Amino acid sequence: MASLLGLSGRRFQVVYRICGTLDEVRNRAREISVEQTVEFPEALLPAGDIRDQLVGHIESITPLDESRHEVAISYAVETAGFEFTQLLNVIFGNTSMQPGIRVERIVMPEVLLQAFSGPRFGCRGLRDYLGVTQRPLLCTALKPMGLSATELAELAYTLALGGIDIIKDDHGLADQPFAPFHERVARCAEAVSRANRITGLKCIYAPNVSGCGEETLRRAYSARQLGAGALLIAPGLVSFGMMQQIASDERIGLPILGHPALLGSFAVHPDYGISHYTIFGQLMRLAGADATIFPNYGGRFSFSQKACKAIAQAASEPMGRLRSIFPAPAGGMTIERVPEMRTVYGNDVILLIGGGLHTHSPDLLANCREFRRLVEHGL
Amino acid sequence: MASLLGLSGRRFQVVYRICGTLDEVRNRAREISVEQTVEFPEALLPAGDIRDQLVGHIESITPLDESRHEVAISYAVETAGFEFTQLLNVIFGNTSMQPGIRVERIVMPEVLLQAFSGPRFGCRGLRDYLGVTQRPLLCTALKPMGLSATELAELAYTLALGGIDIIKDDHGLADQPFAPFHERVARCAEAVSRANRITGLKCIYAPNVSGCGEETLRRAYSARQLGAGALLIAPGLVSFGMMQQIASDERIGLPILGHPALLGSFAVHPDYGISHYTIFGQLMRLAGADATIFPNYGGRFSFSQKACKAIAQAASEPMGRLRSIFPAPAGGMTIERVPEMRTVYGNDVILLIGGGLHTHSPDLLANCREFRRLVEHGL
């Protein structure tokens, strides 16, 4: 049996919040340290590195209240194989099937972070790309599903004329018969480009390229060729690993907006899953999103202001050499809330208003201009 | 605005369980029917098909108790674009971010099911492939992580000699430095083949090919070339769409064991996410797994016997022309429990015993033979 595995001795840490009394949590922590690594009866583990280094180390147990504790477990960086998929597997693969355990945050040493190139653009790169130095970026979505490619392109034209920076597909636009992917992307990219020639601004179109397996990659290549300026990707549907591959592909080379579809199930119960901070912040950024879209507090969804601020924090705080990214709060936002959102998120934010841009007044073009005026105001 | 979208009129149904009083649930159901489709202010929807057909239809609301209701919402099949990723998006994309809503089951018409080829082998195909006509299949895992490729191959050799049908990688084996993917797969496939020449049996090796983006596909091709007899894929890590692509790729053509890593977060809280029945049963099968691995009741995990039986039901009940697949209960199973598991699951089951095969007695070969004897007994 192996004993000298040539391990670096470097470890990354996962901080779990675990329900239970101190005794219960001690046991659960021990089980996690085995489950997430060797998944083997401890008594039969060979002496040496497997037993001493590969099994997770419980670094600390801190009571939060009588029934919940924060537990830090460290893992040898080699267990994660320096790839995103296996990193996620070590963090929470099998333990996702246990009740009352939540990943609060991940602490990664430089040697592990170096395996990930992260966002290609990040905040600064996306600002340079759009030529917007300081103010929040304006974003909206093409909808409703059911419009034809021509109708969506007309809509995109108006939105671009109105001064929106980023026009994304609604995440429900895929390759449906009413607006097939290629036709939609070609028409919308052309419409935005036509509007840019009139305004002199740089608005970009971000089609949704989420598809099955390699189809995501093919759509990303097509989008680039058809004149898209960015991509919308839902890693909950296509995997974080696929988003990472697209982010690091030179032949695509477009900014990525990470969409939260299906990822809600990880974060929405406070004692289960993976925290907002980690899934919409740390993991989105590590896998190469240049912006992370999430439902803002006080909209159609239930995220708290605290959770939203945690996402924004993970998007911008130091993380090795990985670029900071834009938080993009959305989900029932309105023009009226722009001043408040600027106060809460500051200037490094993408303000994403979808349906609310249509309800502000019957004049969509005027609504866009009002949105832009509010964002430029006071800078 | 469009009004004649050329819709077929065919719809699929998602049955949600929603927390709240009847009035609350009526409102929540209405919100879901909009959120999962047009995601647009209803008052502004154009008259015609978008408003009448694309918005979800609330088909029924049935009280379960005072605070929970079962709600059936139907969606036009065209919203799902006849592709897995978008189907999942319509089922639960944004609604995953709402608390207290759970997908209980999906009811798909033939026209939608026909878009999915599903499992290549299924129960009967896998039985033919292995030459096992009637009894449960025996499965175990190579572990612990940290063993070298040579050591894992030695282990595989012993397990194959002992009469195991399927030897899978532990799902934590990826491409780590201690047992790199290519070396591991080559050595283990060779070891199993060598044992088969001695026993005259057909044992197969199922390496874990889960990786980032296209890397999963590359590993699947390599595995086939290196002599693997099946594949282990974790769709929670690599996406259901990627598993589906591999299942339908003629050049790979191997049985797939679907692993539940990271999918636990969908099922583990009874009022949130996606039911065991749907995620480990319906979706695994629809995306082409020939067997669905899940933690058995009474082991290291918390799944109830009822939940496990629901998975087994979804694996085998009629589902258009899709082949039925094997349930593969695992997670702390022991040889002692084989008779009980046969009673609960019947013969169309893969009995997956990992660590328990090592603890039964110090003689691993004898333990495998005892496992096999128990399974063959009484047929």
Side-chain angles (χ1 to χ4, degrees):
Chain A
M1 291 285 198
S3 63
L4 287 166
L5 301 181
L7 302 175
S8 66
R10 305 305 298 272
R11 305 180 75 80
F12 68 99
Q13 229 177 71
V14 181
V15 178
Y16 301 94
R17 203 171 62 201
I18 306 180
C19 293
T21 64
L22 182 56
D23 279 351
E24 288 165 350
V25 168
R26 272 203 199 98
N27 284 335
R28 300 193 79 180
R30 189 75 204 147
E31 285 164 7
I32 293 170
S33 68
V34 173
E35 187 71 48
Q36 295 306 104
T37 55
V38 294
E39 210 189 323
F40 199 74
E42 279 191 86
L44 298 183
L45 287 175
D49 281 356
I50 293 180
R51 179 189 291 263
D52 300 338
Q53 300 300 322
L54 290 194
V55 173
H57 293 177
I58 301 169
E59 302 288 350
S60 65
I61 300 183
T62 313
L64 297 174
D65 54 42
E66 279 187 8
S67 63
R68 293 187 304 180
H69 295 73
E70 202 169 83
V71 176
I73 298 181
S74 73
Y75 302 102
V77 292
E78 288 81 5
T79 60
F82 302 95
E83 56 183 349
F84 198 99
T85 302
Q86 176 58 14
L87 174 64
L88 203 51
N89 200 14
V90 174
I91 291 169
F92 207 48
N94 270 7
T95 294
S96 74
M97 290 178 280
Q98 296 287 10
I101 300 177
R102 184 172 175 92
V103 173
E104 279 294 295
R105 60 185 179 280
I106 311 159
V107 184
M108 284 171 279
E110 194 57 36
V111 65
L112 182 55
L113 284 171
Q114 278 169 1
F116 302 95
S117 52
R120 172 179 294 272
F121 290 80
C123 262
R124 189 170 300 178
L126 189 51
R127 284 193 176 285
D128 290 348
Y129 182 69
L130 292 172
V132 178
T133 52
Q134 195 184 351
R135 63 167 170 81
L137 301 182
L138 285 71
C139 183
T140 190
L142 298 178
K143 50 170 98 175
M145 175 195 288
L147 296 184
S148 68
T150 303
E151 289 165 329
L152 291 167
E154 282 168 21
L155 188 55
Y157 181 73
T158 303
L159 296 164
L161 270 191
I164 303 296
D165 298 304
I166 304 171
I167 299 170
K168 74 171 190 68
D169 275 348
D170 199 22
H171 79 286
L173 301 184
D175 187 31
Q176 293 102 335
F178 26 85
F181 178 81
H182 283 88
E183 184 192 352
R184 179 177 86 245
V185 176
R187 288 191 190 275
C188 292
E190 185 279 328
V192 167
S193 164
R194 187 155 35 87
N196 282 342
R197 287 195 297 275
I198 292 172
T199 59
L201 301 172
K202 178 165 185 182
C203 172
I204 57 173
Y205 166 54
N208 173 30
V209 297
S210 306
C212 288
E214 278 187 310
E215 181 61 19
T216 307
L217 201 62
R218 283 192 290 269
R219 288 184 190 169
Y221 288 129
S222 297
R224 168 77 200 226
Q225 287 174 341
L226 295 168
L231 303 173
L232 181 76
I233 298 178
L237 299 174
V238 308
S239 84
F240 279 100
M242 180 55 82
M243 186 168 81
Q244 183 195 29
Q245 180 178 348
I246 290 174
S248 60
D249 188 327
E250 293 287 343
R251 291 163 298 174
I252 299 171
L254 292 175
I256 292 173
L257 312 178
H259 191 279
L262 209 66
L263 293 178
S265 292
F266 290 99
V268 73
H269 191 292
D271 290 328
Y272 284 67
I274 302 177
S275 70
H276 300 82
Y277 170 85
T278 293
I279 197 140
F280 298 117
Q282 292 188 295
L283 294 179
M284 277 283 189
R285 185 174 171 192
L286 192 65
D290 299 290
T292 176
I293 298 171
F294 59 90
N296 197 25
Y297 67 95
R300 291 196 309 275
F301 295 85
S302 65
F303 287 18
S304 67
Q305 187 180 126
K306 189 179 166 195
C308 293
K309 283 184 162 178
I311 297 169
Q313 180 192 335
S316 65
E317 69 186 3
M319 192 179 186
R321 60 186 182 80
L322 267 66
R323 294 175 175 86
S324 66
I325 67 173
F326 278 104
M333 291 303 94
T334 58
I335 293 177
E336 289 75 10
R337 289 190 65 191
V338 168
E340 174 205 345
M341 289 172 74
R342 293 189 56 176
T343 306
V344 169
Y345 294 103
N347 279 334
D348 278 339
V349 63
I350 295 178
L351 299 172
L352 202 175
I353 304 183
L357 211 49
H358 298 257
T359 52
H360 187 68
S361 87
D363 184 341
L364 181 60
L365 184 62
N367 296 347
C368 292
R369 287 176 174 155
E370 170 66 6
F371 182 19
R372 175 123 181 175
R373 192 190 63 75
L374 273 170
V375 170
E376 285 183 332
H377 181 75
L379 277 171
Chain B
M1 291 285 198
S3 64
L4 286 167
L5 301 180
L7 301 176
S8 65
R10 305 304 299 273
R11 305 179 74 80
F12 68 100
Q13 229 179 71
V14 182
V15 178
Y16 302 93
R17 204 172 60 201
I18 306 181
C19 294
T21 64
L22 183 56
D23 279 351
E24 287 166 349
V25 167
R26 272 204 200 97
N27 284 334
R28 300 194 79 181
R30 189 78 203 144
E31 287 164 7
I32 293 170
S33 68
V34 173
E35 185 72 48
Q36 294 308 103
T37 54
V38 295
E39 210 190 323
F40 199 74
E42 280 190 85
L44 299 183
L45 286 176
D49 281 356
I50 293 180
R51 180 190 291 262
D52 299 338
Q53 299 300 322
L54 290 193
V55 172
H57 293 178
I58 301 170
E59 303 288 349
S60 65
I61 301 183
T62 313
L64 297 174
D65 54 42
E66 279 187 8
S67 63
R68 292 186 305 179
H69 295 72
E70 201 169 84
V71 177
I73 299 180
S74 73
Y75 303 101
V77 292
E78 288 81 3
T79 60
F82 302 94
E83 57 182 350
F84 198 99
T85 302
Q86 176 58 12
L87 174 64
L88 204 51
N89 200 14
V90 174
I91 292 168
F92 207 49
N94 270 7
T95 295
S96 73
M97 289 178 281
Q98 296 287 11
I101 300 176
R102 183 173 176 92
V103 173
E104 278 294 295
R105 60 185 178 279
I106 311 160
V107 184
M108 284 172 279
E110 194 58 35
V111 65
L112 183 55
L113 284 171
Q114 278 168 0
F116 302 96
S117 52
R120 172 178 294 272
F121 291 80
C123 261
R124 189 170 302 179
L126 190 51
R127 283 192 177 285
D128 290 348
Y129 182 70
L130 291 172
V132 178
T133 53
Q134 195 184 352
R135 62 167 170 80
L137 302 181
L138 286 69
C139 182
T140 190
L142 298 178
K143 51 170 95 177
M145 174 195 288
L147 295 185
S148 68
T150 304
E151 289 165 329
L152 291 167
E154 284 169 19
L155 187 55
Y157 181 73
T158 302
L159 296 163
L161 269 191
I164 302 296
D165 298 304
I166 304 171
I167 300 170
K168 74 170 190 69
D169 276 347
D170 199 23
H171 79 287
L173 301 184
D175 188 31
Q176 294 102 335
F178 27 84
F181 178 81
H182 282 88
E183 184 191 352
R184 179 177 85 245
V185 177
R187 287 190 190 276
C188 291
E190 185 279 328
V192 167
S193 163
R194 188 155 34 89
N196 282 342
R197 288 196 296 274
I198 292 172
T199 60
L201 301 171
K202 180 166 183 181
C203 172
I204 58 173
Y205 166 55
N208 173 31
V209 297
S210 307
C212 289
E214 279 186 308
E215 181 62 18
T216 306
L217 201 62
R218 282 192 290 269
R219 287 184 191 170
Y221 288 129
S222 297
R224 167 78 199 226
Q225 288 174 339
L226 294 168
L231 303 173
L232 181 77
I233 298 179
L237 299 174
V238 308
S239 82
F240 279 101
M242 179 56 81
M243 187 168 79
Q244 184 194 28
Q245 180 177 348
I246 290 173
S248 60
D249 188 328
E250 293 288 342
R251 292 164 297 175
I252 299 171
L254 292 175
I256 292 174
L257 312 178
H259 191 279
L262 209 65
L263 294 178
S265 292
F266 290 98
V268 74
H269 191 293
D271 290 328
Y272 285 66
I274 303 177
S275 71
H276 300 81
Y277 171 85
T278 294
I279 197 141
F280 299 117
Q282 292 188 295
L283 295 178
M284 276 284 189
R285 186 174 170 191
L286 192 65
D290 299 288
T292 176
I293 299 171
F294 59 90
N296 197 26
Y297 67 93
R300 293 197 307 275
F301 295 84
S302 64
F303 287 19
S304 67
Q305 188 181 123
K306 189 180 166 195
C308 293
K309 282 183 162 179
I311 297 169
Q313 182 192 333
S316 65
E317 70 187 2
M319 192 179 188
R321 59 185 184 80
L322 267 66
R323 293 176 177 86
S324 67
I325 66 173
F326 278 105
M333 290 304 93
T334 57
I335 293 177
E336 290 75 10
R337 290 191 63 192
V338 168
E340 174 205 345
M341 290 171 74
R342 292 188 57 175
T343 305
V344 169
Y345 293 102
N347 279 334
D348 278 339
V349 63
I350 296 179
L351 300 171
L352 201 175
I353 304 183
L357 210 48
H358 297 258
T359 52
H360 186 69
S361 88
D363 184 341
L364 181 61
L365 184 61
N367 296 347
C368 293
R369 289 178 173 155
E370 170 67 6
F371 182 19
R372 176 123 182 176
R373 192 190 64 77
L374 274 169
V375 170
E376 287 184 332
H377 181 74
L379 277 169

